Amino acid sequence: MGDCSNMEIAEPCVGMEFPSEKDAKCFYEEYSRQLAFTSKPLSRPDGSLTAREFVCCSKRSNRRPAETCDAMLRIELKAPDKCWVVTKFVKDHTHVLGTPTLHCLRPRRHFAKAVNVPSGMMYVAPLDSSNRGALKRTMGRDAHNLLEYFQRMQAQNPGFFYAIQLDEDNQMTNVFWADSRSRIAYTHFGDTVTLDTRYSCNQFRLPFAPFTGVNHHGHTILFGCALLLDESDTSFIWLFKTFLTAMRDHPPVSLVTDQDRAIQIAVAQVFPAARHCINKWDVLREGQEKLAHVCLAYPSFQVELHTCINFTETIDEFESSWTSIIEKYDLGRHEWLTSLYNARAQWVPVFFRDSFFATVFPGQGYPGSFFDGYVTQQTTLPMFFRLYERAMESWFEMEIEADLDTVNTPPVLKTPSPMENQAANLFTRKIFAKFQEELVETFAYIANRIDDNGTTSTFRVAKFENNNKAYMVTFCYPEMKANCSCQMFEHSGILCRHVLTVFTVTNILTLPPHYILRRWTRNAKSMVGLDEHVSEDGHDSLIHRYNHLCREAIKYAEEGAITSESYNIALGALREGGKKVSVVRKNAPPSSHGGDDKTSLLASETTPLLWPRQDEMVRRFNLNDGGARAKSVADLNLPRMAPVSLHRDDGAPENMVALPCLKSMTWVMESKNTMPGGRVAVINLKLHDYRKFPSEDMEVKFQLSSVTLEPMLRSMAYISEQLSAPANKVAVINLKLQDTETITGESEVKFQVSRDTLGAMLRSMAYIREQLSTVGELQTEPQTKKQRK
C-alpha cells in the first residue's frame, strides 16, 4: 500500500471543537494511531467535569515518570454551546515515533466526525449506518492511488481541497475535491451551480459527478468534482455540506440537478434558500424513444414542443402552448408526456424565470458537460486524472483567450446610443453581443404609458407589426428600477429589449449601476490573489506558473495579516501589482490558439435540439479554422463514405512511413432533394504533405449522411482512446470512399493525426451529427383535431 507517513493528517489545533468528550477522545486516539504512538486519557484527580487531558503514554523508562513524553491534548467544556474546545496542544514528543500504520487509509468511522478543519485540509466523515439499502461499491486498490494523487496536488497547490467519506466498514465510498482555481472561480461565479450526475450511469466505469457553473464569457467552468460510489440521500447530504465547506460556506442562489429523489432530499436540507430546478435535458432524455413515432410522422412536432418548453415567457403562455400541441397531435393519452406535464413546475424554464440562473441564451442546444470529450466509456480512474488535468488546462487557456479578446478587440457599435458604448466598455464580448442584440431590437418596439401615479409608471411594450403580443413594464423613477413581465433580467442578468425601450422613451441614456452585474463584466475576476507578482522560476507551463503564484500568495497573506499595519501595506502592494499585471495582459499579443466561433450560422440551419441523444458525450467543437468558410457546393456528386469505412493502422510505430497531416477541416450542410432526409454534410479535409518539396496542401472532399457518420464516430472515439497511451504519438487514418469517378468505384485517402487534432476532429463530427439529425422537410403537416373532424 505504500508509506503513509507523508499523508496530510488532520492535526489538532487550539480552538478545534468537538460535540462531546468521547468524540475528542476518539479523534486523539486516531491521530496518535496514525503517528504511531499510544495515547490515553488522564484521570481527574480534582474531580473536574469541565476539563480533560489526553497524553502520550510512551516513555523512555517505565521506572522514571520524569521522562514521560510531553505530547498532550487538553479540552475544556464551553458552557454556552455545550461543546468541547481544544485549549492546549503539545505536538512534539520526547522520543522517536514508530512507523505509521496503514490505518491512515481506513480511519475509524468516528474520525473527524464533527471537527472544524482548516480550509484545504483533508478530512473524512462516516456514512450513516442506517443506510443499509445503498449499493455496496468500493474503489479497492485505486483508493490508495487516489489519496496519493490528492496529497501530491495539495503539495503543489496549497488551495487544493479534498474530503473522503467512509461507510460502516471503514471503506472509502464517496470523494470530493476542488482545486484553488475552481474555488476562486466560485467566489466570482458561484451564484448558480449545476450538479451533473449522468456520468454515474452504468454505462460508465467511473461514477463521476462534477459541480459546474458559468463564467463571465458564458463558458462552462468547474467548481468541484465527486466520485460517488454510494448515491443515497445521506451521501448527497454529505456531498453538499462538503461542497459548502470547500466554498467557504457561501451557498449558491440557484441549483440545477438531475431528477434523482435522493438529490432532491439533500438539496432541501442543505440548500433550503437556493432555487432548485431539475435539468430539463435529464427530464427529456427518453424523448427520442417515447415520441419517435410522432417525430417521424410530423416534422413540425419537435420544433413546436421545443418552442413551447424553451421560449414561452409566462406560465399562462406555456399552458396555452402545451394544450394546443397536445390537442393538435392527439396526445392527450400519452402517459410519458402526461408525467412531464404533471412535474412541469420542477423543470420547465418559465417556472423559474423569477430567479437567476445565468441563462443568457435560453434556446441554445444541448449544453454538454465540462468533461465531454474527456470522460468516456473506457475511462478508468488512473486515466481519468490525466484527462481531468487536460480539461482544466483547456478551460484556463480558453478563459485567458476570451479575456484577451475582450481587451484587445474593439467592439463594433451599431447605434449612436451612449448606453451601447457604455456596455461595450463594461461587458465581456459575448455578453455585450447579447446586450447589443436586445438594444438594437428596441427600434422595432413602441412603449405606451398606460398608468402613472407620480413615481411609478406602467408601460405597454409591443412590436410595431405584432401589437397583439405585449409586455408590461413598470418603472420607478426615484429608484431608476424597472420590472418587465418577461423577467429576462431576473433570469439572466441582462436587460431585455422591453425595459430598454422604456429607458429610451424616458430619456435614460446610460445603464443604472444596479443593472450592471459584476459577474458579466470584463472585471469580474479583479481583486483576487491571481494578480500576484510574477514568478521568475522559468516554468513554461500555465499550471506551473499558476500553482507557484498560489503558493507565494498564501505565504504573502500569512505574513501580511499579522498586524493591521502589515495588512494595509500588503493590500496596497497587491493592488499596485494587480494594476501592473493588468497592463501587461492588456498589451499581450492575441493568442495563437484563438479562433472565430463559426458554428452560429450552422446552428440556424437545423431543427433545434429538444433532447440529448443517449450516446452524445462528446463536447462540440468547430474545426472550421482554416480561413474562409467553405463555399456552398452546388454539385453534390462527390465521393460518399461507406458504412464502417474508417480503419486504424495497427503497424508498429517504428515502421510508420511519413504521411500527410490533417491541417484543417471545414464543412457545409447541403440539401439534396433526391434523398428522403434531404441533408448531407460536405466535408473538406485539408492535408499538408511534407513528403513533397516544397511541401504543399491537398484537399479531400466527400459526403456524409447521418447513417455513415455513426460508424466513423465510433471508430474515431476508439482511436482517440488508444492515443491516450504515451507510446502512441499519432494515428494513421485510412478513409475508404465510394467514388463513381474511378474504375473500381472506390478511392482511398491516408493521413496521420495527433491526439489533439483527432480530439478536435471528433468534437466537430459530433456537432455535424447534430446537424444531420434534422428530419426531412418533405413530410406533410398534421391537421388539427378540428380539421380531422
Side-chain angles (χ1 to χ4, degrees):
M1 298 289 286
D3 183 83
C4 298
S5 59
N6 293 325
M7 281 196 62
E8 188 75 28
I9 297 174
E11 186 176 88
C13 61
V14 174
M16 188 176 284
E17 298 178 358
F18 300 89
S20 69
E21 177 184 334
K22 181 180 178 182
D23 287 311
K25 176 178 177 292
C26 293
F27 172 78
Y28 195 65
E29 284 179 351
E30 186 60 38
Y31 171 74
S32 64
R33 184 178 295 106
Q34 295 184 41
L35 264 63
F37 70 91
T38 306
S39 65
K40 68 176 182 180
L42 289 180
S43 59
R44 297 185 175 120
D46 57 354
S48 173
L49 298 177
T50 60
R52 194 69 188 270
E53 292 183 353
F54 308 94
V55 299
C56 173
C57 53
S58 301
K59 304 178 182 178
R60 294 183 184 178
S61 170
N62 292 332
R63 297 181 180 179
R64 301 180 62 184
E67 293 185 357
T68 299
C69 180
D70 295 329
M72 58 88 70
L73 181 80
R74 178 181 175 85
I75 58 172
E76 294 181 10
L77 182 63
K78 191 176 181 181
D81 301 325
K82 295 184 178 180
C83 65
W84 292 80
V85 183
V86 175
T87 58
K88 183 178 181 181
F89 170 59
V90 179
K91 176 182 178 180
D92 297 328
H93 296 258
T94 56
H95 58 92
V96 178
L97 296 177
T99 302
T101 69
L102 295 182
H103 286 286
C104 58
L105 294 178
R106 291 186 182 181
R108 291 186 176 180
R109 294 183 59 246
H110 49 246
F111 175 55
K113 184 176 181 180
V115 180
N116 295 330
V117 184
S119 177
M121 185 177 290
M122 170 234 173
Y123 70 95
V124 297
L127 273 171
D128 189 342
S129 59
S130 62
N131 180 29
R132 301 291 182 182
L135 178 63
K136 289 290 293 181
R137 293 181 292 190
T138 62
M139 294 185 190
R141 60 185 178 184
D142 281 335
H144 180 67
N145 295 330
L146 187 66
L147 284 174
E148 285 189 340
Y149 174 81
F150 287 159
Q151 294 159 28
R152 184 171 69 254
M153 290 299 292
Q154 198 168 75
Q156 297 173 359
N157 186 343
F160 188 89
F161 178 101
Y162 68 101
I164 298 167
Q165 188 182 33
L166 308 177
D167 63 11
E168 63 268 21
D169 299 321
N170 294 328
Q171 296 286 341
M172 181 186 295
T173 182
N174 295 320
V175 179
F176 171 83
W177 74 95
D179 76 356
S180 60
R181 285 169 297 178
S182 295
R183 298 173 73 195
I184 290 174
Y186 186 86
T187 64
H188 306 303
F189 311 113
D191 41 17
T192 182
V193 174
T194 297
L195 174 65
D196 184 0
T197 56
R198 65 191 174 97
Y199 285 113
S200 60
C201 299
N202 292 334
Q203 64 190 42
F204 287 100
R205 301 175 188 175
L206 188 67
F208 171 62
F211 288 86
T212 59
V214 179
N215 70 0
H216 54 325
H217 299 293
H219 300 157
T220 299
I221 57 175
L222 187 69
F223 294 143
C225 300
L227 295 177
L228 297 173
L229 297 181
D230 177 276
E231 296 167 277
S232 63
D233 54 346
T234 306
S235 290
F236 280 110
I237 290 172
W238 172 86
L239 176 62
F240 290 150
K241 287 183 177 180
T242 303
F243 177 81
L244 268 181
T245 300
M247 303 307 162
R248 300 171 180 85
D249 293 322
H250 292 297
V253 174
S254 59
L255 187 65
V256 182
T257 70
D258 295 333
Q259 53 176 344
D260 186 286
R261 176 173 171 77
I263 295 178
Q264 296 186 53
I265 292 173
V267 170
Q269 181 170 330
V270 183
F271 301 113
R275 193 69 187 275
H276 178 216
C277 76
I278 306 301
N279 191 330
K280 67 180 180 183
W281 299 103
D282 190 47
V283 174
L284 297 171
R285 189 168 298 278
E286 297 178 329
Q288 279 190 310
E289 176 186 351
K290 301 289 187 181
L291 298 169
H293 63 292
V294 185
C295 294
L296 289 175
Y298 308 117
S300 61
F301 168 74
Q302 185 170 335
V303 179
E304 291 180 29
L305 187 59
H306 177 273
T307 302
C308 172
I309 291 172
N310 293 287
F311 292 108
T312 49
E313 294 175 335
T314 65
I315 294 176
D316 289 342
E317 185 182 352
F318 166 80
E319 298 285 359
S320 175
S321 177
W322 182 278
T323 301
S324 175
I325 292 172
I326 296 299
E327 291 180 354
K328 180 178 180 180
Y329 297 98
D330 195 16
L331 296 170
R333 292 182 297 274
H334 196 286
E335 292 184 3
W336 186 75
L337 278 176
T338 301
S339 68
L340 291 191
Y341 178 76
N342 292 337
R344 62 194 182 281
Q346 294 180 283
W347 65 275
V348 177
V350 71
F351 288 87
F352 302 92
R353 289 190 66 84
D354 60 344
S355 300
F356 183 77
F357 280 86
T359 310
V360 179
F361 302 97
Q364 63 189 2
Y366 177 59
S369 170
F370 185 87
F371 289 96
D372 279 356
Y374 296 95
V375 178
T376 68
Q377 282 184 318
Q378 288 75 34
T379 303
T380 59
L381 192 59
M383 182 189 300
F384 166 76
F385 281 101
R386 292 198 300 270
L387 299 174
Y388 163 81
E389 292 177 1
R390 194 180 302 167
M392 294 292 287
E393 181 82 21
S394 176
W395 157 36
F396 209 37
E397 289 181 350
M398 184 168 61
E399 191 167 283
I400 289 176
E401 289 174 4
D403 285 340
L404 291 174
D405 180 61
T406 294
V407 172
N408 296 325
T409 307
V412 178
L413 302 182
K414 297 181 179 180
T415 74
S417 167
M419 189 179 292
E420 183 185 17
N421 186 62
Q422 175 197 20
N425 293 316
L426 286 172
F427 297 128
T428 61
R429 281 292 164 266
K430 189 169 184 178
I431 302 306
F432 170 68
K434 179 61 178 176
F435 175 83
Q436 185 181 55
E437 175 188 336
E438 296 298 315
L439 184 64
V440 170
E441 282 294 321
T442 61
F443 290 99
Y445 281 78
I446 186 170
N448 293 314
R449 185 183 281 107
I450 60 175
D451 188 30
D452 192 345
N453 62 8
T455 59
T456 302
S457 294
T458 302
F459 293 84
R460 184 181 185 275
V461 183
K463 259 190 172 183
F464 287 110
E465 69 274 14
N466 188 15
N467 196 44
N468 293 328
K469 185 175 177 60
Y471 299 85
M472 308 306 294
V473 177
T474 59
F475 179 52
C476 178
Y477 291 92
E479 298 179 3
M480 297 287 284
K481 288 186 177 180
N483 294 295
C484 180
S485 58
C486 78
Q487 296 182 311
M488 177 175 163
F489 181 78
E490 289 81 358
H491 198 55
S492 69
I494 299 175
L495 279 176
C496 63
R497 59 196 66 179
H498 319 117
V499 169
L500 293 175
T501 301
V502 170
F503 280 176
T504 299
V505 300
T506 54
N507 294 319
I508 306 299
L509 301 180
T510 59
L511 284 172
H514 44 270
Y515 289 117
I516 303 171
L517 292 194
R518 184 179 179 84
R519 63 134 33 246
W520 291 136
T521 68
R522 58 178 63 191
N523 296 321
K525 299 183 299 178
S526 64
M527 294 303 294
V528 298
L530 281 177
D531 291 333
E532 241 280 85
H533 57 279
V534 180
S535 167
E536 298 181 356
D537 62 353
H539 286 307
D540 293 327
S541 166
L542 181 64
I543 286 183
H544 279 140
R545 295 195 300 269
Y546 182 90
N547 287 340
H548 183 80
L549 283 172
C550 284
R551 290 194 296 271
E552 292 299 314
I554 287 176
K555 295 177 185 176
Y556 185 77
E558 289 174 348
E559 295 179 2
I562 294 176
T563 65
S564 297
E565 183 179 0
S566 63
Y567 166 79
N568 291 330
I569 294 174
L571 186 60
L574 270 178
R575 289 174 174 169
E576 188 64 30
K579 294 177 183 178
K580 294 179 180 178
V581 172
S582 297
V583 171
V584 172
R585 289 180 60 188
K586 185 175 182 180
N587 296 330
S591 171
S592 60
H593 300 291
D596 294 333
D597 181 7
K598 303 179 182 178
T599 62
S600 57
L601 293 179
L602 293 176
S604 63
E605 298 175 4
T606 184
T607 300
L609 185 64
L610 182 59
W611 39 72
R613 288 174 287 276
Q614 293 287 350
D615 57 344
E616 180 160 0
M617 293 297 173
V618 182
R619 184 176 61 172
R620 302 182 199 127
F621 181 76
N622 193 333
L623 199 62
N624 274 329
D625 58 355
R629 180 180 300 280
K631 296 181 180 179
S632 177
V633 181
D635 180 14
L636 291 179
N637 189 23
L638 295 169
R640 301 179 187 175
M641 284 289 297
V644 197
S645 57
L646 187 74
H647 307 279
R648 64 183 282 251
D649 194 328
D650 288 316
E654 59 269 18
N655 297 326
M656 191 176 293
V657 297
L659 291 169
C661 298
L662 177 62
K663 182 178 180 181
S664 67
M665 170 180 162
T666 57
W667 69 87
V668 292
M669 309 305 299
E670 294 285 351
S671 297
K672 193 171 183 180
N673 295 331
T674 58
M675 297 180 62
R679 290 180 74 80
V680 294
V682 178
I683 311 294
N684 186 18
L685 302 180
K686 184 173 289 186
L687 308 177
H688 193 73
D689 196 346
Y690 291 95
R691 299 173 299 179
K692 298 181 180 181
F693 185 81
S695 61
E696 62 182 31
D697 292 340
M698 62 179 181
E699 291 187 349
V700 178
K701 194 173 290 186
F702 57 93
Q703 296 179 40
L704 275 176
S705 68
S706 58
V707 174
T708 57
L709 177 62
E710 292 303 321
M712 187 176 185
L713 263 176
R714 287 195 295 269
S715 298
M716 289 168 60
Y718 176 76
I719 296 172
S720 179
E721 287 298 327
Q722 303 302 306
L723 283 177
S724 297
N728 298 325
K729 302 298 183 183
V730 296
V732 175
I733 297 194
N734 187 19
L735 296 180
K736 188 171 291 185
L737 307 174
Q738 292 178 348
D739 193 348
T740 57
E741 299 294 324
T742 62
I743 298 175
T744 61
E746 291 183 349
S747 62
E748 284 188 323
V749 180
K750 205 169 188 178
F751 58 95
Q752 62 185 30
V753 293
S754 66
R755 180 188 62 195
D756 293 337
T757 302
L758 181 62
M761 187 179 180
L762 187 63
R763 294 189 288 271
S764 296
M765 287 297 183
Y767 180 84
I768 293 173
R769 178 174 62 179
E770 179 184 328
Q771 305 295 302
L772 291 176
S773 66
T774 307
V775 182
E777 301 174 357
L778 302 178
Q779 302 170 31
T780 58
E781 294 282 328
Q783 294 181 330
T784 62
K785 257 187 171 181
K786 285 185 178 181
Q787 291 172 328
R788 283 196 297 272
K789 290 180 180 178

